[in-house]
Amino acid sequence: MKRQKIIFILVLFLGLQFSYAQTPLVNSKLEVLEISTGERKTIKTFPFLIEAPNWTYDGKWLIYNSQGRLWKIDPSDPEYPQEIYTGFATNCNNDHVLSFDGKEIAISHGTQEDGLSRIYRLPIEGGTPQLVTPLAPSYLHGWSPDGKYLAYCAERNGNYDIYTIPAEGGVEMRLTTAEGLDDGPEYSPCGKYIWFNSVRTGLMQIWRMDADGNNQIQMTFDETVNSWFPHISPDGKNVVYLAYQVNDLKPDEHLPNKNVELRIMPATGGEAKILIHLFGGQGTINVNSWSPDSKYIAFVSYELMK
């Protein structure tokens, strides 16, 4: 048994080394976009990979993940980012979400036992994570406005669907049953709806459903792009999402290092418009990154290092 464990650890280590060797080196540019003017402002450029900014609800910090850990940065004084203590959770991915009261953050962390992503919650200032989803893999995307539920994408029995679970832990509820990938669930600020993306039509499109899973309605119909990760503005009026050109990847892929777009559409439905073109994809806006006043979006663009 001990020998098998040593072999497993060695294989895991070599696999990680191979993975890192295959990952392109990038500069990551943390940016802020003013929605009304289209003006882009660079907060800070990092000579390594960072992903998925969240804006705290007091507007003072941007939270992002890098190298398995969480960090926060003051947009007005970005020289010295600060690490958020996450205890044993040192394999955090780009699925992290703040509670609507701003007091907690929930994370997706690849556990040491099997490497699979599970969801935890901890105080926003840092602390010891509390397990929410014992089943894996589970990828967090939404927290209900009343603080009672988390929404996430999870693979169960070979299919990826949308689930919710009490934020304190408990029995998960499956909300989608379509074949193929359903991902990116996020609550609207009113708590009535969950927005998500689904490949059920053959392309990845943006959908909306009632918070209990009823009335699943397609919201985007552009067949030139695959649309991912809808994020609803705090005032509930607009939705920003990520769009890949349809020929750049398979519909159920959200790859890094692609020419992509940030698009915006009314939360009531209707035609979307392109906000900006950028080089990015995975890591750009995996989680909600609206400013509290609904005037700005934070995102990450990338540049491959030669």
Side-chain angles (χ1 to χ4, degrees):
M1 179 63 71
K2 183 179 293 185
R3 182 181 180 185
Q4 290 176 333
K5 185 175 182 181
I6 292 173
I7 292 174
F8 171 78
I9 293 172
L10 180 61
V11 169
L12 179 62
F13 174 77
L14 291 175
L16 287 172
Q17 295 303 305
F18 178 79
S19 175
Y20 291 147
Q22 299 303 307
T23 301
L25 297 176
V26 297
N27 286 321
S28 304
K29 188 181 293 185
L30 178 59
E31 300 188 60
V32 168
L33 173 71
E34 186 173 5
I35 298 297
S36 63
T37 66
E39 181 181 353
R40 293 168 66 167
K41 178 182 178 182
T42 299
I43 302 301
K44 187 177 179 66
T45 299
F46 302 80
F48 49 82
L49 182 69
I50 76 161
E51 299 178 301
N54 303 109
W55 217 308
T56 58
Y57 290 108
D58 59 10
K60 294 181 179 180
W61 301 93
L62 288 167
I63 294 174
Y64 61 91
N65 64 282
S66 182
Q67 301 173 333
R69 300 177 186 272
L70 290 184
W71 302 80
K72 66 179 183 179
I73 190 169
D74 181 350
S76 64
D77 185 18
E79 186 173 0
Y80 299 108
Q82 301 177 28
E83 184 176 355
I84 298 174
Y85 176 72
T86 56
F88 59 82
T90 56
N91 192 23
C92 300
N93 57 39
N94 49 37
D95 301 322
H96 37 81
V97 177
L98 278 66
S99 61
F100 272 73
D101 63 10
K103 295 180 179 179
E104 293 185 85
I105 186 167
I107 60 174
S108 297
H109 157 69
T111 57
Q112 184 177 4
E113 293 77 12
D114 56 15
L116 297 179
S117 178
R118 291 174 172 82
I119 298 171
Y120 301 77
R121 55 187 288 190
L122 62 148
I124 190 65
E125 65 271 14
T128 301
Q130 170 191 335
L131 179 66
V132 179
T133 58
L135 299 179
S138 300
Y139 301 97
L140 175 69
H141 282 277
W143 202 324
S144 64
D146 62 10
K148 294 181 178 180
Y149 295 95
L150 300 179
Y152 52 101
C153 168
E155 185 272 318
R156 306 288 185 260
N157 301 315
N159 202 58
Y160 282 88
D161 284 295
I162 305 301
Y163 292 79
T164 59
I165 194 170
E168 296 290 343
V171 178
E172 65 182 15
M173 177 181 294
R174 183 181 181 183
L175 300 187
T176 63
T177 58
E179 288 298 316
L181 177 63
D182 295 323
D183 200 355
E186 184 173 297
Y187 285 91
S188 59
C190 66
K192 183 178 179 180
Y193 302 113
I194 291 176
W195 289 69
F196 64 104
N197 47 274
S198 175
V199 78
R200 65 186 68 183
T201 62
L203 291 177
M204 189 62 77
Q205 299 281 7
I206 303 300
W207 288 68
R208 191 190 73 188
M209 60 182 165
D210 294 346
D212 61 4
N214 289 322
N215 301 316
Q216 298 182 18
I217 301 172
Q218 187 173 343
M219 301 298 288
T220 61
F221 300 88
D222 188 339
E223 296 188 355
T224 68
V225 295
N226 287 297
S227 300
W228 284 81
F229 301 135
H231 301 313
I232 307 92
S233 58
D235 63 12
K237 294 180 179 180
N238 293 297
V239 176
V240 164
Y241 61 93
L242 182 71
Y244 290 90
Q245 293 303 306
V246 72
N247 294 322
D248 276 357
L249 71 184
K250 297 176 182 178
D252 60 356
E253 294 178 325
H254 54 100
L255 301 178
N257 304 323
K258 294 289 183 179
N259 292 312
V260 296
E261 301 163 353
L262 293 186
R263 294 190 173 193
I264 191 169
M265 64 177 291
T268 53
E271 185 176 354
K273 68 176 184 179
I274 299 171
L275 287 171
I276 54 169
H277 300 268
L278 68 143
F279 188 70
Q282 171 74 305
T284 292
I285 56 162
N286 289 63
V287 292
N288 193 305
S289 56
W290 281 93
S291 62
D293 59 10
S294 299
K295 293 181 178 180
Y296 302 89
I297 280 282
F299 63 97
V300 183
S301 61
Y302 299 97
E303 179 185 34
L304 294 178
M305 298 173 64
K306 297 180 181 180

